[in-house]
Amino acid sequence: MMVRLVCLLIGYCFGLMQTAYLYGKIIHVDIRKVGSGNAGTTNMLRSMGAKAGLITMAGDVSKCIIAILVTWLIFRHSYPELFPLLKIWTAAGVVIGHDFPFYMNFKGGKGIACTAGMIIAFGDWRWIVIGIILFFGLFFLTHYVSICSISLSLEFGLGIVIGSAVGLYDMTPARLTEMCVLTWCIVALNIFQHRTNIGRLVHQCERKTYLSHKKNEAVEAERKKEGGN
């Protein structure tokens, strides 16, 4: 159990590196005080433009990949048979650290870019390809990032269950079950973090997001004109 806690701690430390917050400081903007106030890719894209959004996404994806790489460097010889599971424990720590950074009063992002990093670092090309197609396909079809984000999380959760069932990961049944349960805990946290978005989707007042900063500004102006939240 100790190795799992170490992986969780490694992940949490990397998760604390809030790209949106740190990049915002560089350009003299507190991301917590603009747009939705969320320290994540979507708010940076809407509020600061595509460049800021891309930098934020790259940073948050990379920190999960790097955290898992650190875990591999530390435990690759001592626990090689556990590594698929240890990847998920590390990723769980990253998502928790990203969502609940102690130095930001436990108010960070929603963990989706970190989840994307987990999918990439897990290394199964099937779920990577499906995830890319699913996320960007839904984005250009609906422009609702919340739908894309929840769908990406569900896709990986289902992928881990299917992969475990068909023998893609060489671990004991108990460890496969543990990996599936932990993955779905991450999925559940991601969905919980989007609870307000889900409510807006149900009431058909969720805000759409575009790659164009001018388009996002126009959408925000129209929303304020109509008295939206």
Side-chain angles (χ1 to χ4, degrees):
M1 188 61 192
M2 182 57 68
V3 66
R4 293 163 171 79
L5 294 178
V6 171
C7 291
L8 192 69
L9 180 60
I10 291 171
Y12 184 79
C13 290
F14 275 91
L16 293 176
M17 300 176 188
Q18 293 286 328
T19 310
Y21 177 75
L22 296 174
Y23 180 69
K25 286 296 184 182
I26 293 173
I27 60 177
H28 308 293
V29 172
D30 188 342
I31 190 60
R32 297 171 298 177
K33 297 179 180 179
V34 298
S36 67
N38 185 263
T41 299
T42 303
N43 193 30
M44 288 294 281
L45 174 62
R46 288 172 176 169
S47 304
M48 304 294 164
K51 177 183 176 181
L54 182 61
I55 289 172
T56 302
M57 181 177 67
D60 289 343
V61 169
S62 297
K63 69 186 180 186
C64 192
I65 295 174
I66 295 171
I68 290 173
L69 176 60
V70 169
T71 298
W72 177 77
L73 290 172
I74 295 173
F75 296 117
R76 69 186 187 280
H77 296 307
S78 51
Y79 295 98
E81 76 286 355
L82 270 182
F83 201 62
L85 175 60
L86 297 185
K87 287 181 181 180
I88 303 298
W89 274 102
T90 304
V94 176
V95 173
I96 294 170
H98 177 81
D99 289 3
F100 309 109
F102 69 88
Y103 64 94
M104 293 173 62
N105 296 320
F106 300 97
K107 295 180 180 179
K110 296 183 179 179
I112 298 304
C114 300
T115 300
M118 172 179 68
I119 296 171
I120 294 170
F122 196 78
D124 192 321
W125 65 269
R126 303 168 186 85
W127 317 134
I128 295 173
V129 171
I130 294 172
I132 291 172
I133 294 172
L134 181 66
F135 186 93
F136 289 103
L138 286 172
F139 177 78
F140 289 112
L141 182 65
T142 70
H143 292 283
Y144 289 127
V145 175
S146 53
I147 291 178
C148 305
S149 301
I150 293 169
S151 298
L152 180 69
S153 297
L154 291 172
E155 175 263 337
F156 188 61
L158 290 172
I160 290 296
V161 171
I162 294 170
S164 299
V166 300
L168 293 181
Y169 316 121
D170 187 18
M171 292 192 298
T172 64
R175 289 169 178 170
L176 289 172
T177 299
E178 179 184 347
M179 184 171 69
C180 290
V181 170
L182 183 58
T183 300
W184 276 95
C185 286
I186 298 173
V187 173
L189 176 58
N190 288 346
I191 294 173
F192 176 77
Q193 290 291 82
H194 285 84
R195 61 194 181 280
T196 55
N197 303 87
I198 294 171
R200 289 194 294 267
L201 285 167
V202 170
H203 292 95
Q204 299 182 350
C205 58
E206 174 72 323
R207 180 181 171 185
K208 292 187 176 184
T209 302
Y210 299 86
L211 296 179
S212 168
H213 186 45
K214 290 184 178 180
K215 180 67 173 178
N216 286 320
E217 287 182 330
V219 170
E220 176 65 10
E222 183 66 24
R223 185 183 67 85
K224 289 181 177 179
K225 182 178 179 181
E226 295 176 355
N229 294 319

